[in-house]
Amino acid sequence: MSSTPVAVVTGGNKGIGFAIVQALCKHFQGDVFLTARDPGRGQAAVRKLQEEGLHPFFHQLDIDDLQSIQALRDFLKEKYGGVNVLVNNAGIAFKVHDTTPFSVQAEVTLKTNFFGTRNVCTELLPLVKPYGKVVNVSSSVSLSSLASCSKELQQKFRSDTITEEELVKLMTKFVEDTKTNTHVKEGWPNTAYGVSKIGVTVLSRIQARMINEKRKGDHILLNACCPGWVRTDMAGPKAPKSPDEGAETPVYLALLPADADGPHGQFVSDKTVRTW
Ligand code: NAP
């Protein structure tokens, strides 16, 4: 088993994930794994970085596929005995003018952004080593969407005692409510992406609390963040930030020094803790 520290980035073949891998290759003292759901796209991205003189490794990971997540988990356990840095970056968003029925958009978006990210966490968080860092790439849209929720939902999502099971029930309820077109009446904002990212931010707050309860002495720091509005296939060419600039906050959180005692359980943008 290798004692080399290891960092893993999901959705690393393009966009912000690719820029995060690139920055970690330069600044993380250890092995960096670019993961992608499609091995062809993933290997092509690795080759691009190799041409720059960087040395990322590749592992397949489709966060929608539990077997794929478990294969990565087993590999990390066997080869490294765990993981030091995990960046949950993979995500999807339907385009604004997409005509796919809203209920389908809700199901598909939540499946990847919330349930897929949660499954990665369920399988990989137990492997995170002492002084490890976990970065869940959420979005400032989670904050604006929270403000558009009913007072009752806002209270639940801001609660310091909400459990992961309760959060999963709420995310499932959103998808169900869109199917009967009752989601607005039930207090939800009219954005599947926004609700999925509320899920990611609240999940991060819950997971950080669990780390405090169960692994207090391990000095693990886990946060949600927003990369900003970034020029990628997801956000389009008009966004103000380059992918490198978008990677700055996630990379800052991934490389917090060993003696840092925070941020932890926070929502961070532009390297600044925001009020949830
Ligand atoms: P992007 O260019 O569309 O890249 C998304 C990445 O996620 C791709 O590598 C994609 O792989 C991967 N992915 C999607 N579904 C996956 C799955 N099931 N399993 C594994 N990988 C999967 O988007 P981006 O702008 O870089 O976004 C990265 C993250 O930042 C997302 O979580 C997004 O919500 C968040 N974010 C972006 C912005 C922005 O302005 N761009 C703002 C706030 C938050 P494929 O190439 O195979 O599709």
Side-chain angles (χ1 to χ4, degrees), residues 11 13 16 37 41 61-63 89 138 193 197 228 230 232 235:
N13 56 289
I16 298 162
R37 57 179 158 182
R41 288 196 287 274
L61 175 65
D62 180 346
I63 71 167
N89 161 81
S138 181
Y193 181 78
K197 292 299 190 180
V230 183
T232 62

Side-chain angles (χ1 to χ4, degrees), residues 11 17 39 42 65 68 74 91 172 202 204-206 231 234 240 270-271:
D65 175 357
S68 166
D74 293 345
T172 305
V202 175
S204 308
R205 286 161 55 86
I206 295 168
R231 287 187 297 280
M234 182 184 285
D270 287 324
K271 300 184 188 172

Side-chain angles (χ1 to χ4, degrees), residues 60-62 64-74:
Q60 194 273 345
L61 175 65
D62 180 346
D64 289 347
D65 175 357
L66 191 56
Q67 281 187 359
S68 166
I69 298 171
Q70 289 172 339
L72 176 66
R73 176 203 63 192
D74 293 345

Side-chain angles (χ1 to χ4, degrees), residues 41-190:
R41 288 196 287 274
Q43 299 283 12
V46 164
R47 279 196 296 279
K48 211 166 144 189
L49 292 170
Q50 284 169 341
E51 283 161 19
E52 295 175 20
L54 302 172
H55 303 286
F57 295 85
F58 175 73
H59 202 286
Q60 194 273 345
L61 175 65
D62 180 346
I63 71 167
D64 289 347
D65 175 357
L66 191 56
Q67 281 187 359
S68 166
I69 298 171
Q70 289 172 339
L72 176 66
R73 176 203 63 192
D74 293 345
F75 167 79
L76 290 169
K77 215 189 235 176
E78 199 171 309
K79 172 104 199 279
Y80 295 93
V83 60
N84 300 80
V85 168
L86 170 64
V87 182
N88 282 305
N89 161 81
I92 59 159
F94 282 82
K95 300 288 180 219
V96 178
H97 298 298
D98 195 301
T99 53
T100 305
F102 187 66
S103 60
V104 177
Q105 294 197 19
E107 183 146 34
V108 171
T109 307
L110 273 279
K111 181 179 176 181
T112 299
N113 294 5
F114 177 72
F115 291 102
T117 301
R118 173 176 180 253
N119 285 342
V120 173
C121 290
T122 304
E123 300 299 332
L124 296 191
L125 287 192
L127 260 62
V128 175
K129 293 186 178 182
Y131 297 93
K133 312 285 184 284
V134 181
V135 185
N136 294 332
V137 180
S138 181
S139 169
S140 292
V141 173
S142 68
L143 261 179
S144 52
S145 302
L146 179 68
S148 305
C149 287
S150 65
K151 288 275 169 286
E152 194 190 336
L153 279 175
Q154 286 189 36
Q155 201 181 16
K156 288 181 179 163
F157 289 132
R158 289 202 175 97
S159 158
D160 288 328
T161 53
I162 184 173
T163 64
E164 195 168 318
E165 290 65 35
E166 286 165 345
L167 176 62
V168 165
K169 269 193 191 152
L170 284 167
M171 292 291 117
T172 305
K173 181 175 185 309
F174 169 70
V175 174
E176 293 306 314
D177 288 348
T178 64
K179 287 180 184 160
T180 49
N181 202 18
T182 52
H183 57 286
V184 174
K185 191 175 114 271
E186 292 294 315
W188 296 102
N190 208 22

